[in-house]
Amino acid sequence: MLNPPIIIIIILSLLSSLPSPSSSFNLTQFPADDPSHFYTVASSECHSLGFDTEIDTHSPVTLFVLDDAAFANAASAGYKELPVANKYFIWQCHMISGFFTTSFLTQNAKVWHSQSTVGTEIIGDNKFMLNIIVFPNGSVEVSNTVVRAIVTRNIINENPIAIYGVSEVLLP
């Protein structure tokens, strides 16, 4: 029989070998590693703005990441010319405090569809709310007062982080 100090050492060794959420999660890497390769601009933009370092990977969050085509459309709408602070704020308007699984988006959004984004929480203005609508065919749309985007794919869904691809930049 093992004595208590040896058991404690074994347990601590096992626990220390498990990856922590912050060490195993890299916001920039997940979109870049997506097999579709549709999120390379988002990954680069997220890193260049420092947005990836600001997210607490221990808190639940849902992020709607723009595909490369959405960035191309946004460039023509003036996104590239925005100051860094405004781009950063736009990313905050694509993030919801809370872990929203795919099933939540497709089932519960029919009833509870208006969500505060991090941008809403910071500014305190309801015009930065995010509406989530599910269509009869199962597709999901996220929108604000200006832009509508289709959720194109689930990039990652690992509690406490969910990342979904969207087709348009939700410019506030």
Side-chain angles (χ1 to χ4, degrees):
M1 178 156 178
L2 297 173
N3 64 31
I6 293 175
I7 292 173
I8 291 172
I9 291 171
I10 292 171
I11 291 171
L12 290 175
S13 296
L14 290 172
L15 290 175
S16 67
S17 67
L18 295 173
S20 69
S22 61
S23 67
S24 63
F25 183 80
N26 180 336
L27 178 61
T28 306
Q29 199 61 39
F30 278 109
D33 286 348
D34 184 73
S36 70
H37 302 291
F38 292 151
Y39 302 98
T40 55
V41 176
S43 179
S44 174
E45 187 76 6
C46 179
H47 182 69
S48 69
L49 293 172
F51 193 74
D52 53 346
T53 61
E54 295 295 322
I55 293 178
D56 178 4
T57 58
H58 298 289
S59 298
V61 66
T62 299
L63 181 62
F64 296 96
V65 175
L66 319 159
D67 62 28
D68 290 349
F71 271 109
N73 293 339
S76 63
Y79 175 84
K80 281 188 173 187
E81 289 77 31
L82 290 174
V84 170
N86 292 21
K87 289 180 181 179
Y88 194 91
F89 182 70
I90 287 174
W91 276 84
Q92 290 172 321
C93 291
H94 284 79
M95 186 168 64
I96 299 171
S97 297
F99 175 63
F100 289 14
T101 64
T102 304
S103 63
F104 178 85
L105 288 177
T106 57
Q107 295 170 7
N108 298 335
K110 294 174 186 174
V111 177
W112 191 42
H113 68 289
S114 187
Q115 300 296 320
S116 293
T117 64
V118 171
T120 307
E121 295 167 9
I122 291 169
I123 302 297
D125 190 337
N126 285 343
K127 71 180 179 181
F128 303 113
M129 298 287 285
L130 194 64
N131 297 309
I132 303 170
I133 300 168
V134 180
F135 292 100
N137 68 0
S139 64
V140 178
E141 176 186 274
V142 291
S143 64
N144 57 23
T145 57
V146 180
V147 180
R148 294 177 177 209
I150 298 297
V151 174
T152 56
R153 70 184 303 119
N154 178 351
I155 298 172
I156 185 168
N157 202 338
E158 293 178 12
N159 194 0
I161 308 287
I163 302 176
Y164 298 97
V166 293
S167 62
E168 296 290 333
V169 177
L170 300 169
L171 294 169

